[in-house]
Amino acid sequence: MGASLGRTGAAWRQVLLLLCLWLAAAAAARASSLERAPWTPAAYPNPQRDVGACGRRGVSSFLCDPDGVMSYDAANLAEGLIAQVERGEAPYTRAPCGAGLQGFQIAVALMRRLQVDGSQSPGEAAAAFARGLHDAWGVGSGACDNGVVLLLATRDRQVYVSTGRGAEAAGLSPAALSRVMDNMKPALRGERYGEAVLEAVHELGLLLAGSDVPAAGGDGDGDGVGVFAFFASIVAAVWGWGWWSNRKRDQRFKRAQRQLEALKRDQAALRRGQYKTTTCPICLDDFEGEEGGGQGAASGGAAAPSASTALKETAPLLSGGTQASAAAAGNSPSGSGAARAPASPGAPPTPRRGPPLVLACGHSFHAACISEWAAGHTTCPICRRDINEEDDGGARARGAPPPPCSGGAPPAAAAAARRDLWMPELLFRTRRLGLMYPDFISTSMTDQFLQDLESDADLSHAALARFEARHPARERAAELREAGRGGASASFGGGHGGGGAGSSW
């Protein structure tokens, strides 16, 4: 009886094994049947006519991606960038065409595989395909043939750029196209196809505007940062070329970013008992010879000038009521309810370099900053101690506190004393960040950072992420992506191809 049951169990296991193998084979066969046949020029959809077949969610487009080579969001970014080239917005340009000036049209055709006849090489097939689409779609103006078609076949590892005579004359020589395709190859080899397309569209637009495109720095696979981190750099370059106001905004964000990083480093240095003031708490610029802040021993550094004497000599020479004075006046030495200065997202302030001036209380400032404050106040803006008090040891080392306790104090007591002295300075700097950069650091972010510092917690990751989301390049990329979501901003104009170049990877 037992032997019979054993044979039955073995038979069932064989049946189950055969069933699993059959299901696997059926799944493979189904996947094979769903693999799209190689595309031919006649079958490939037109993005402005076959709007439901190009992966653009039913809108007319300059880009066709029926196989889903790019993500939808990346395609929107590319569409927005193509529209900028077509409109000739800086750093791109318009050129004489017919009776006036026109931008250049760039169309993109993406696919997994293209059909290669027995008499063709894959490169020849890609060239014929791209040129055929160029003529069939009519990319560019019929008056000057200023169109470009970028074709990418990922399984065949082929890229080809077809150019009209006007586009070639404007700067798209075969040698220039080769540089563009070489610059695409690291992303193509890493299968970051969206990044490669964005790179190509941007560089084609620059070449058409008469700008140079440098050769690729290497053939590595890149660092895989992804299309949106990559595109942030392109967007920063695009807007930075054209509008001074955006350049100023970029500079202001970078300053806020550096100063927030310095705050994080100084918080860590205070925990280690190594905090040293290297940044003026009012203007948030480094003192002369200092970069980054928060590094070094608490008692290190060069001797500072005598505080009370220097302050009395310099304060009358400076006018009161400045922005620095008003902003500092709005800050209390503790708590998070500081008054906020009016938003002024203009040019970044000119950095104030110079040695620090150390008050009797131990807090250090640029001489100009604290003198402006002293024109209308008699106390330290951080701790409210009288700034006219004589210090007890003459000039003190930069950033070194007055001895808070006897040398024989337990380590815990010494650490608490250091925190009591320097934490108000970190809180003051945090409020200054919010006052100086309200367009990047909101009131809620400032309050969260203050709460984190007071509770000795790391600065909130969520608040830091909200700050990074306000990066001007990210914001403008989002605007461009939203514009691209609406599809093509114009129609193909009846242009023809004739020139071009191709490559493989």
Side-chain angles (χ1 to χ4, degrees):
M1 181 68 175
S4 176
L5 289 174
R7 286 194 298 272
T8 301
W12 272 110
R13 282 194 296 272
Q14 290 179 345
V15 170
L16 290 174
L17 178 60
L18 290 173
L19 180 60
C20 289
L21 292 173
W22 180 83
L23 289 174
R30 176 171 175 77
S32 178
S33 68
L34 292 176
E35 176 74 20
R36 189 186 297 275
W39 286 102
T40 64
Y44 195 81
N46 183 321
Q48 297 197 353
R49 186 184 63 209
D50 309 314
V51 296
C54 281
R56 299 296 294 128
R57 301 190 180 178
V59 299
S60 176
S61 177
F62 284 115
L63 184 148
C64 190
D65 184 15
D67 296 340
V69 172
M70 292 176 69
S71 71
Y72 177 66
D73 279 344
N76 287 335
L77 286 169
E79 189 85 67
L81 199 59
I82 289 169
Q84 282 200 321
V85 175
E86 196 273 335
R87 292 191 296 267
E89 297 179 4
Y92 314 119
T93 191
R94 296 188 296 166
C97 180
L101 298 176
Q102 291 188 19
F104 297 86
Q105 286 192 345
I106 298 176
V108 178
L110 307 176
M111 64 200 72
R112 300 291 181 190
R113 293 189 298 159
L114 53 79
Q115 183 168 298
V116 181
D117 295 335
S119 61
Q120 293 177 310
S121 69
E124 291 170 336
F129 202 123
R131 290 174 178 172
L133 291 183
H134 198 147
D135 293 342
W137 294 355
V139 182
S141 169
C144 52
D145 290 333
N146 61 350
V148 181
V149 174
L150 170 66
L151 180 142
L152 194 65
T154 59
R155 296 280 178 86
D156 300 300
R157 305 176 77 84
Q158 295 295 317
V159 56
Y160 192 89
V161 182
S162 171
T163 59
R165 57 180 174 83
E168 184 172 3
L172 298 190
S173 66
L177 294 177
S178 293
R179 291 200 301 274
V180 172
M181 290 182 286
D182 286 345
N183 291 345
M184 295 173 67
K185 287 178 182 179
L188 292 173
R189 291 180 180 132
E191 298 184 357
R192 303 190 307 276
Y193 302 122
E195 180 178 320
V197 169
L198 290 166
E199 172 105 35
V201 170
H202 177 56
E203 293 188 355
L204 290 170
L206 293 180
L207 288 168
L208 290 167
S211 300
D212 190 29
V213 171
D219 290 331
D221 288 339
D223 59 6
V225 296
V227 64
F228 298 112
F230 161 82
F231 191 67
S233 65
I234 283 186
V235 171
V238 168
W239 266 274
W241 285 41
W243 296 285
W244 171 245
S245 61
N246 281 314
R247 286 203 297 270
K248 292 191 294 185
R249 184 168 167 80
D250 290 341
Q251 292 168 5
R252 292 188 70 258
F253 183 86
K254 290 176 182 177
R255 284 173 58 84
Q257 195 174 43
R258 286 196 302 268
Q259 291 160 357
L260 194 54
E261 286 295 328
L263 185 68
K264 291 167 59 180
R265 288 194 299 269
D266 286 352
Q267 181 194 32
L270 180 59
R271 288 170 174 169
R272 297 191 303 269
Q274 296 178 329
Y275 180 79
K276 182 181 75 168
T277 300
T278 58
T279 299
C280 174
I282 292 177
C283 69
L284 302 182
D285 286 325
D286 292 331
F287 294 126
E288 191 173 82
E290 298 287 353
E291 294 291 342
Q295 307 302 318
S299 60
S306 176
S308 59
T309 302
L311 190 59
K312 290 174 183 176
E313 291 175 350
T314 58
L317 302 178
L318 299 171
S319 61
T322 63
Q323 181 179 359
S325 302
N331 289 279
S332 60
S334 61
S336 60
R340 297 188 60 82
S344 55
T350 302
R352 288 182 168 181
R353 294 283 181 176
L357 191 149
V358 185
L359 303 185
C361 58
H363 294 125
S364 303
F365 306 88
H366 280 132
C369 294
I370 193 60
S371 295
E372 289 175 1
W373 165 264
H377 305 83
T378 60
T379 58
C380 170
I382 296 175
C383 67
R384 305 302 181 180
R385 181 173 168 180
D386 189 347
I387 59 178
N388 294 310
E389 285 185 16
E390 295 290 340
D391 56 40
D392 52 8
R396 208 170 15 251
R398 179 185 305 185
C405 54
S406 65
R418 284 194 299 269
R419 177 180 170 82
D420 289 344
L421 178 68
W422 297 121
M423 181 53 68
E425 181 172 307
L426 293 185
L427 297 174
F428 183 91
R429 284 168 54 189
T430 302
R431 296 188 192 94
R432 289 291 297 147
L433 276 170
L435 289 166
M436 293 173 67
Y437 304 103
D439 45 338
F440 301 131
I441 302 176
S442 66
T443 302
S444 63
M445 293 182 205
T446 302
D447 290 345
Q448 181 62 60
F449 294 148
L450 291 169
Q451 179 181 333
D452 295 335
L453 289 169
E454 290 173 330
S455 61
D456 198 26
D458 292 339
L459 298 189
S460 166
H461 178 76
L464 291 172
R466 291 199 303 275
F467 167 76
E468 291 294 340
R470 296 189 176 194
H471 192 299
R474 290 176 182 267
E475 291 180 345
R476 295 194 292 268
E479 293 171 6
L480 200 60
R481 186 169 59 244
E482 187 60 31
R485 193 187 306 274
S489 58
S491 300
F492 295 138
H496 296 84
S503 188
S504 60
W505 69 91

